[in-house]
Amino acid sequence: MTLNDLSHMYSTDEQCRALLKKLRWPYGVECLRCKSKKVFELAEYAKFECGECHYQFSVTTQTIFHDTHLPLETWLMAVLLLVEARKGISANQIKRTLSIGSYKTAWYLCHRIRKAMQDVELTMMDGTVEVDETYIGASQKGHSKPGFGDSKKQIVVGIRQRGGDLRFFHAADVKAGTLAKYVRETVSEDVEVIVTDEFNTYPTAFRDTPFAGKHKTIKHKSKIYVDGDIHTNTVESAFSLLKRGILGTWHRISAKHLAAYLDEMTFRFNRRKNPDLFIDTLRHMITADPLTFEKLTA
Ligand SMILES: [Zn+2]
């Protein structure tokens, strides 16, 4: 899907609603209250009524698209811009590109879409997995101003299966227990090799786990970066993409929202070969519980 396709196929409210209807109810419209399939379309624009309980609703009822002042066409454009932007796109850019009235509206729009760009079903990683940690914000070289609203550096743990998926975690610390928890959540016990640098917490983190015998270390301090298959280059390249995105596009991210940005980046990264990313994200948005999106500013 390109912007050009989008502006041809979904340029009216009616076309957008037809798409959302197909994504929300692939097997036919269903009553939101009693689940009955005996649903009638009302003469009133875009309204349905249940033939059993007489509940009236539309395709956007009980979704994040409800109560929005933005046209659906704008929502769809924003989704496409966000899923296509490899390094991310700022709320300011969205505001300008889509002629949205206020920064706050654009910010909200972006955050709601980001919330939908989260993996719901994760597969455990196997094969060769690289684990590494990095520090973002505060006193990064060449930046006199903090990259973050908060003055503290933020820790990001990255786990990447070579040739496969990527996960980022906004970590509170790099203690053995914390690292072990992320690895257990992400990596299958059938993994062949786990590669890390020589950071001495990793052996402790893997002790007494199925990963202990599979752990290989690359000695960065001895200036060895690649030793055959033993390297952490693919997780490091993911970190540099993240940092370029944060410094170049998002400018200032508060620590509070960092996890959402990490999810957005990995969601897009893990679907880099998926041609249906736009539709997948939209489907998630129209089928997710709107409460998922309301915790945003809590
Ligand atoms: Zn009903």
Side-chain angles (χ1 to χ4, degrees):
M1 180 79 65
T2 65
L3 267 181
N4 200 28
D5 295 339
L6 191 69
S7 62
H8 279 106
M9 293 162 72
Y10 306 107
S11 62
T12 67
D13 185 69
E14 214 175 340
Q15 289 167 331
C16 294
R17 281 178 188 276
L19 173 63
L20 294 179
K21 183 177 155 195
K22 210 167 68 187
L23 295 173
R24 188 172 195 185
W25 298 296
Y27 309 108
V29 182
E30 199 175 74
C31 173
L32 295 177
R33 189 186 275 161
C34 74
K35 305 276 176 221
S36 167
K37 295 240 177 179
K38 218 173 111 194
V39 171
F40 305 97
E41 233 169 289
L42 295 178
E44 194 187 338
Y45 178 70
K47 278 264 173 72
F48 302 104
E49 183 176 318
C50 174
E52 304 280 349
C53 75
H54 303 290
Y55 181 64
Q56 291 190 2
F57 56 98
S58 80
V59 71
T60 58
T61 305
Q62 292 171 28
T63 75
I64 54 162
F65 296 102
H66 203 63
D67 286 334
T68 167
H69 302 296
L70 290 170
L72 288 174
E73 302 93 283
T74 306
W75 273 94
L76 264 59
M77 285 278 182
V79 171
L80 186 67
L81 289 172
L82 257 96
V83 299
E84 291 291 328
R86 220 172 138 245
K87 286 187 284 172
I89 185 164
S90 70
N92 246 323
Q93 244 171 300
I94 291 279
K95 172 182 177 284
R96 283 196 305 271
T97 311
L98 302 180
S99 313
I100 293 169
S102 78
Y103 174 77
K104 208 180 151 209
T105 306
W107 184 89
Y108 239 102
L109 179 70
C110 291
H111 265 282
R112 287 176 164 216
I113 297 169
R114 269 188 197 113
K115 204 77 188 143
M117 292 172 72
Q118 288 185 359
D119 279 301
V120 264
E121 287 157 25
L122 294 161
T123 43
M124 299 294 274
M125 296 182 187
D126 50 25
T128 301
V129 172
E130 301 174 18
V131 184
D132 201 4
E133 72 290 328
T134 194
Y135 298 83
I136 296 187
S139 52
Q140 272 194 18
K141 262 189 207 157
H143 285 264
S144 49
K145 278 186 197 161
F148 283 82
D150 316 60
S151 59
K152 215 173 113 231
K153 279 198 181 192
Q154 305 298 320
I155 306 162
V156 175
V157 173
I159 305 181
R160 182 169 176 187
Q161 178 180 342
R162 247 177 244 168
D165 278 1
L166 169 72
R167 299 274 319 265
F168 283 141
F169 298 94
H170 181 196
D173 55 63
V174 286
K175 290 177 186 159
T178 309
L179 295 173
K181 177 178 167 281
Y182 292 144
V183 170
R184 259 200 314 272
E185 278 176 24
T186 312
V187 182
S188 157
E189 293 185 5
D190 301 327
V191 68
E192 281 163 37
V193 182
I194 296 192
V195 190
T196 70
D197 60 17
E198 68 270 72
F199 181 46
N200 58 20
T201 306
Y202 286 112
T204 319
F206 296 144
R207 191 184 300 150
D208 301 325
T209 74
F211 309 116
K214 298 168 176 178
H215 180 208
K216 298 255 188 328
T217 303
I218 186 80
K219 307 246 177 322
H220 284 171
K221 281 191 190 110
S222 324
K223 301 262 184 279
I224 298 169
Y225 295 97
V226 179
D227 178 7
D229 271 347
I230 313 302
H231 63 79
T232 51
N233 291 353
T234 73
V235 70
E236 280 164 32
S237 74
F239 281 149
S240 52
L241 190 66
L242 171 72
K243 287 179 180 180
R244 283 205 302 275
I246 284 179
L247 295 176
T249 318
W250 298 324
H251 307 297
R252 286 171 68 90
I253 296 173
S254 72
K256 183 181 149 199
H257 294 297
L258 179 60
Y261 285 95
L262 296 178
D263 285 342
E264 177 199 338
M265 287 227 58
T266 49
F267 181 92
R268 200 163 34 222
F269 186 91
N270 294 340
R271 286 167 181 73
R272 59 202 181 279
K273 289 169 193 152
N274 175 358
D276 300 322
L277 187 48
F278 168 75
I279 292 293
D280 279 358
T281 307
L282 215 52
R283 184 184 294 112
H284 195 176
M285 289 171 77
I286 194 75
T287 53
D289 183 341
L291 282 178
T292 317
F293 300 90
E294 292 314 324
K295 293 172 196 137
L296 211 58
T297 48

